Amino acid sequence: MRVAYCQGTSPPRINTTPHISFHPLLPMAWSPFLLLSLVSLAFSTPLNRRWDDFVEKHSWGATIPKGWQFHSSPSPDTLIDLRLGLKSARIDELFHHLGQTSDPDHERYGNHLSKEQVEELVAPHTDTVSMVEEWLAHHGYQGSAASPAGDWVTIRLPVKDAERMLNAEYGLYHHPASKDTVLRTLSYSLPRDLLGHVDVVSPTTYFGTFKSMRATSFLMPEVDLDPDAVPPTTCNTRITPDCLKTLYNTANYTQQATNRNSLGVAGYLNEFANRADLQTFLTRFVPARAGTTFTTVRVNGGGDDQNDPGVEANLDIQYTIGLSAPVPNTYYSTGGSPPFKPDSQTSTNTNEPYLDWLNFITSQSSIPLVFTTSYGDDEQTVPPDYANSVCNLFAQLGSRGSSVLFSSGDFGVGGGDCRTNDGQNRVQFQPAFPASCPFVTTVGGTTRTNPEVAVDFSGGGFSNYFGRPDYQSTAVTTFLNALGTTNNGLFNKTGRAYPDLAAQGTGFQVIIGGSTSSVGGTSASSPTVAGIIALLNDVRLSSGRSSLGFLNPLIYKNGGAFNDITSGSNPGCGTNGFTARTGWDPVTGLGTPDFAKLRLVV
């Protein structure tokens, strides 16, 4: 499956101080219900703040993001849901805890935080709450908490008020390739007094939607082979669960803690996992698990049309279940793009994919121990403030004991002309987001067997937003030293490097509408690794330990537990890209998983 794939800071260095304490903050003042005040006279502010003293937060300048075109101006009375991401008072403490609980050499390893502890750390300071309340009251509004911690706040208001509050000009923009139309602005600002209190506002300058990120299915031609051949004889061109179990050494493992285990697949608009197709798949390829099913959870109006099977949705759920059953699997169908109606009483498409799903997941009292997701954007198309806020939400999931995996993308070091959108129009490798977030585990692709080699579309590179985290410093420095001056000037040598791991990415046999299709892409690689991580969680859970949680510190300290991929490359941007080599590389990461070795180190 092809996927289209802040100015942030690198995660803090791990502090090994063992003593941990939590200091509860004062209760948040946000109303539990959405309130629209009909105050006609603005409240006076005690310090006579100048709410019209604006500082630009983010701007694309006069250039509309690539792939989008201006459609029309909205009615001034069009209602939108404005979402404010408030600065967390103790986010550095969250990073500190995550660093310790994910480090296998630390005494707190595996001692994940509870939902309530995470919420204490990400809650805004009372001064931030007061400041934002004051600003909203000045304009006649009161916010509604959009997250349990109060770090996200929602206000429903007319476009004309949002424009006044953000010194912005909204427009309706159309994406011809996906036929999606959204309400966005090319720039927005905040009052100077709010700087340091509000991290991001949406919808503003992030143009991504589920539709615009999704590319056409990466369907591969069928190859006429003996269907009765024993794996891995046919696995060079046709991947089945048996191929993957043989390649990655899971075939003889018997699970013991499935009642405490779980795996989640993040789906998106109009991609529905089909139950009948799953049964056909299991009957044909995993007969011992025939009858196994999954739960669908609808997020933000997501659908579940069983008459419209999705290629990617079926790929994901068939292979996570094919590898991890009987681990309970959940498919999250996230909606959020209502039909475009230029009606002043109808909210237009103000939804944004990561926030809709993440705000829902972080609010749940119980969440899956592994997540896999197969979509993304070019990093440069995501505003830095937005990318940083979303990345921090992934850190919350890791802190609670969940492993978050993302496909690395299907365009090597970059697709298209690879021109920068900073006004300089330079050719530069194009990293992907969220693949570049340091709090997720990113999975690249391989092909063939005996040996596996890097597949040429495997996304990989170096972030321009996020600095290199400590956990990969040694591995990446070793690669860069060996690379020398190759590709100089085309990538950020100090950025977070990805992918972290890899797995097969071509020839996956998927049942779609009752028929078998061959599907490829790193969208196949990520669910494959997710299924294996679920088995590793079973190893830990069955011995009374916790789930693995954030994986990266563990895997970079145990590179020998992976099958090192040393050939192949990921060309793009008019270059040969990077080449796989001994050790970590930005094509296949540390390599593909060897369950037999990994179960000894987890």
Side-chain angles (χ1 to χ4, degrees), residues 335-557:
S337 290
F340 170 55
K341 298 178 182 178
D343 181 337
S344 64
Q345 297 306 309
T346 302
S347 291
T348 59
N349 185 358
T350 63
N351 304 97
E352 297 180 300
Y354 308 113
L355 291 182
D356 294 333
W357 185 76
L358 282 165
N359 281 164
F360 172 84
I361 291 295
T362 55
S363 70
Q364 303 303 299
S365 58
S366 177
I367 59 177
L369 302 182
V370 184
F371 289 103
T372 178
T373 315
S374 298
Y375 59 84
D377 284 319
D378 284 345
E379 186 185 67
Q380 69 170 0
T381 69
V382 183
D385 55 356
Y386 188 92
N388 195 60
S389 295
V390 167
C391 191
N392 290 348
L393 285 168
F394 290 126
Q396 290 189 38
L397 298 182
S399 296
R400 290 177 60 179
S402 292
S403 303
V404 181
L405 289 85
F406 268 87
S407 301
S408 70
D410 292 352
F411 301 100
V413 294
D417 61 14
C418 295
R419 296 283 178 179
T420 60
N421 61 356
D422 57 2
Q424 299 183 38
N425 206 36
R426 293 172 292 110
V427 173
Q428 189 177 51
F429 291 169
Q430 294 298 318
F433 179 82
S436 64
C437 170
F439 299 123
V440 306
T441 301
T442 305
V443 185
T446 62
T447 189
R448 302 191 66 80
T449 62
N450 299 322
E452 290 183 87
V453 300
V455 69
D456 60 3
F457 57 72
S458 183
F462 297 76
S463 174
N464 292 316
Y465 286 179
F466 301 97
R468 184 187 310 150
D470 287 350
Y471 59 69
Q472 64 174 191
S473 180
T474 299
V476 174
T477 299
T478 300
F479 171 81
L480 291 173
N481 289 339
L483 183 68
T485 60
T486 302
N487 296 326
N488 263 5
L490 291 175
F491 68 99
N492 174 26
K493 292 186 177 182
T494 65
R496 187 278 204 254
Y498 73 93
D500 303 298
L501 301 175
Q504 286 285 312
T506 62
F508 277 59
Q509 303 303 287
V510 181
I511 303 298
I512 306 166
S515 300
T516 304
S517 295
S518 190
V519 181
T522 57
S523 291
S525 311
S526 183
T528 295
V529 174
I532 294 168
I533 299 303
L535 298 183
L536 291 172
N537 275 334
D538 184 85
V539 172
R540 288 182 57 84
L541 295 171
S542 62
S543 62
R545 294 175 291 167
S546 64
S547 60
L548 286 167
F550 179 45
L551 296 170
N552 294 5
L554 170 71
I555 63 178
Y556 279 93
K557 287 188 175 183

Side-chain angles (χ1 to χ4, degrees), residues 4-71:
Y5 272 48
C6 333
Q7 194 89 24
T9 56
S10 59
R13 294 181 180 276
I14 296 172
N15 185 321
T16 56
T17 305
H19 177 68
I20 304 300
S21 61
F22 287 88
H23 310 285
L25 299 174
L26 295 176
M28 295 300 99
W30 307 115
S31 166
F33 305 103
L34 183 63
L35 298 176
L36 177 60
S37 175
L38 301 178
V39 178
S40 59
L41 180 63
F43 293 97
S44 61
T45 57
L47 298 179
N48 294 318
R49 302 187 194 280
R50 286 193 55 195
W51 296 120
D52 60 351
D53 179 17
F54 289 106
V55 177
E56 187 173 88
K57 195 73 169 65
H58 183 256
S59 173
W60 294 120
T63 304
I64 298 174
K66 189 175 181 179
W68 294 88
Q69 53 189 231
F70 180 77
H71 178 280

Side-chain angles (χ1 to χ4, degrees), residues 148-226:
D151 54 330
W152 289 92
V153 177
T154 299
I155 316 100
R156 174 162 289 186
L157 75 175
V159 165
K160 61 184 178 183
D161 287 355
E163 291 180 330
R164 184 175 69 253
M165 295 167 69
L166 300 175
N167 194 33
E169 182 177 354
Y170 278 89
L172 290 163
Y173 293 87
H174 184 62
H175 190 262
S178 66
K179 300 180 181 180
D180 210 2
T181 301
V182 298
L183 182 68
R184 299 292 190 268
T185 178
L186 294 179
S187 67
Y188 79 103
S189 301
L190 287 173
R192 189 177 303 276
D193 285 341
L194 285 184
L195 295 181
H197 295 286
V198 177
D199 287 336
V200 66
V201 180
S202 73
T204 51
T205 55
Y206 176 47
F207 278 67
T209 69
F210 280 124
K211 283 185 178 179
S212 66
M213 288 188 299
R214 188 181 63 187
T216 56
S217 303
F218 182 5
L219 296 174
M220 304 182 68
E222 290 287 351
V223 179
D224 187 16
L225 295 172
D226 178 6

Side-chain angles (χ1 to χ4, degrees), residues 105-126:
D105 294 331
H106 197 279
E107 62 183 350
R108 293 187 63 228
Y109 178 62
N111 186 18
H112 307 303
L113 302 183
S114 68
K115 175 177 180 287
E116 292 72 23
Q117 288 173 324
V118 169
E119 289 169 1
E120 285 187 17
L121 294 176
V122 301
H125 194 279
T126 50

Side-chain angles (χ1 to χ4, degrees), residues 220-294:
M220 304 182 68
E222 290 287 351
V223 179
D224 187 16
L225 295 172
D226 178 6
D228 298 320
V230 178
T233 305
T234 64
C235 297
N236 276 323
T237 51
R238 179 176 291 175
I239 291 293
T240 67
D242 277 348
C243 291
L244 298 173
K245 291 175 182 179
T246 300
L247 282 169
Y248 303 139
N249 267 333
T250 70
N252 298 318
Y253 182 71
T254 301
Q255 297 184 57
Q256 303 177 56
T258 54
N259 61 325
R260 285 169 283 162
N261 209 346
S262 53
L263 190 157
V265 175
Y268 51 87
L269 189 68
N270 290 336
E271 279 280 342
F272 310 121
N274 187 273
R275 292 174 178 79
D277 282 346
L278 173 64
Q279 293 313 311
T280 302
F281 175 85
L282 293 175
T283 299
R284 178 171 180 182
F285 297 115
V286 198
R289 296 302 179 192
T292 302
T293 188
F294 59 94

